[in-house]
Amino acid sequence: MTGTLDAVRAQHLLREMLRIRRFEEKCAELYSAGKIRGFLHLYIGEEAVAAGAMQALAADDAVVATYREHGHALARGIPAEALMAEMFGKQEGCSRGRGGSMHVFDAATRFYGGNAIVGGGLPIAVGLALADAYLGRQRVTACFFGDGATAEGEFHESMNLAALWRLPVLFLCENNLYAMGTRIERALSQTDLTAKARTYGMPAECVDGMDVLAVERAARQAADAVRGGGGPFFLECRTYRFRAHSMFDAELYRDKAEVEDWKKRDPIALLRTTLEAAAIVDEAAAARLDGEVQREIARAVEFADAGSWEPVEQLTRDVYTPAAEKAHGFAAS
């Protein structure tokens, strides 16, 4: 962490990472209590990537994420209440409770998922960027995905077309070393993902994904290059998830000592140490900030718990089948 430290910006980054951490800790608790159902993939340990990278985006830019997207959604500006209600499956959720954990969507913040398919967001991002290019809009589409996605066909097709057509996409690879339960060396013939991206003829860099200030700085430079007409940019953020792949994962594929070693580089602790050394935040201020965040999350849980279920009569709403068309009075084709 080098250079002049902007106190206001750095405290904002600390708050954003704390919001993600506390939100997800509460989700894990609520999942065990049966309040949240389906699958749940936690982002704990990777907060610096979402919090840092999102600072580089403007309000009219687009964001596409993965099934581990709660952190991206919060950092993008989706209110914690609407996000928690979505986790509960309540119709007050940002996707009316129909998306749940893996399919968070919010048109107001241009957050286009939440995608349950590994690599499935990549072609969506390319499509959004293609539309911007056609219409002459100076927007950036930020696409978050994991290292496992780089072994998928969508990755290669998306990288190829984005480079060929010089589309305004910021590819943000969250390399946490594991594709579900398989370590990167066991799944990829080329483990240098930055080098792999460069073979498509686009600029690519690698950054410490546990250092939120480094991520923010790199993402701003990359987004500026994309917005300026430079075509796509690939930014690899080397990070680590502290929790298992999902709540159902027995986590037998990695050594506990490895996890503990990475926890020594907890992105929240790293930033807090930097801020304390710079006399920007002391122990009391950090505790006060954490208290504010925990109260925000508590309000979100109360909001979600008090929410309502979508009526059964709306079961086929937005489902395009002949039966649904008949029920809603649409003409049969």
Side-chain angles (χ1 to χ4, degrees):
M1 299 181 182
T2 58
T4 304
L5 197 56
D6 181 318
V8 174
R9 196 181 83 244
Q11 289 180 75
H12 172 70
L13 291 170
L14 179 60
R15 176 185 289 274
E16 288 301 282
M17 288 197 292
L18 278 171
R19 291 178 73 231
I20 297 169
R21 179 71 59 89
R22 301 301 177 230
F23 184 92
E24 294 231 307
E25 288 172 344
K26 182 57 71 176
C27 284
E29 179 184 326
L30 293 166
Y31 190 86
S32 298
K35 291 285 188 179
I36 296 173
R37 298 183 179 183
F39 287 95
L40 182 67
H41 304 81
L42 299 177
Y43 194 62
I44 291 173
E46 302 184 23
E47 296 90 345
V49 181
M54 217 63 78
Q55 309 307 311
L57 303 180
D60 59 354
D61 290 336
V63 178
V64 180
T66 71
Y67 50 75
R68 200 181 302 281
E69 85 280 35
H70 316 142
H72 309 103
L74 278 173
R76 182 53 179 168
I78 298 177
E81 289 88 349
L83 186 57
M84 189 62 82
E86 188 61 39
M87 305 294 285
F88 275 53
K90 300 292 183 68
Q91 60 181 344
E92 289 79 9
C94 55
S95 308
R96 292 207 311 273
R98 292 188 165 202
S101 170
M102 300 172 82
H103 300 279
V104 172
F105 179 94
D106 182 60
T109 55
R110 302 204 74 218
F111 190 86
Y112 295 101
N115 197 307
I117 306 300
V118 173
L122 284 151
I124 295 172
V126 170
L128 288 165
L130 179 61
D132 287 334
Y134 261 121
L135 296 172
R137 299 185 296 220
Q138 280 194 314
R139 292 175 174 175
V140 173
T141 294
C143 181
F144 294 85
F145 55 96
D147 49 287
T150 67
E152 300 289 324
E154 293 98 328
F155 171 79
H156 302 287
E157 294 167 4
S158 299
M159 296 287 284
N160 179 59
L161 286 181
L164 181 66
W165 295 337
R166 294 179 61 80
L167 299 179
V169 186
L170 173 55
F171 293 105
L172 290 150
C173 180
E174 299 179 310
N175 182 2
N176 63 21
L177 308 180
Y178 289 90
M180 197 172 175
T182 305
R183 190 170 173 84
I184 188 170
E185 290 86 355
R186 297 174 65 88
L188 301 180
S189 60
Q190 171 56 280
T191 57
D192 186 338
L193 304 183
T194 301
K196 179 183 284 189
R198 286 180 179 143
T199 65
Y200 289 94
M202 71 175 70
E205 292 182 6
C206 181
V207 67
D208 180 358
M210 308 302 272
D211 181 344
V212 67
L213 297 176
V215 172
E216 185 206 14
R217 186 166 53 248
R220 284 188 187 278
Q221 291 172 353
D224 287 348
V226 173
R227 203 182 308 279
F233 197 107
F234 181 95
L235 184 62
E236 177 189 356
C237 303
R238 293 189 180 170
T239 184
Y240 198 84
R241 54 175 164 76
F242 296 163
R243 301 288 293 251
H245 170 73
S246 73
M247 295 296 285
F248 291 108
D249 182 5
E251 204 177 10
L252 301 176
Y253 50 85
R254 64 182 185 183
D255 196 277
K256 290 182 179 176
E258 178 185 294
V259 180
E260 293 306 313
D261 276 346
W262 275 92
K263 284 183 178 178
K264 294 173 184 172
R265 302 204 67 244
D266 184 322
I268 294 175
L270 282 177
L271 179 60
R272 184 173 161 179
T273 299
T274 300
L275 298 187
E276 288 177 351
I280 292 174
V281 167
D282 59 18
E283 188 172 347
R288 187 165 56 249
L289 177 60
D290 199 11
E292 291 171 2
V293 168
Q294 296 209 42
R295 286 191 289 278
E296 178 191 5
I297 303 306
R299 289 195 297 273
V301 174
E302 289 179 11
F303 176 83
D305 216 14
S308 53
W309 303 109
E310 188 171 26
V312 173
E313 293 74 28
Q314 294 185 20
L315 184 64
T316 59
R317 177 179 171 179
D318 302 330
V319 178
Y320 299 105
T321 66
E325 291 175 353
K326 184 178 180 180
H328 292 288
F330 300 151
S333 58

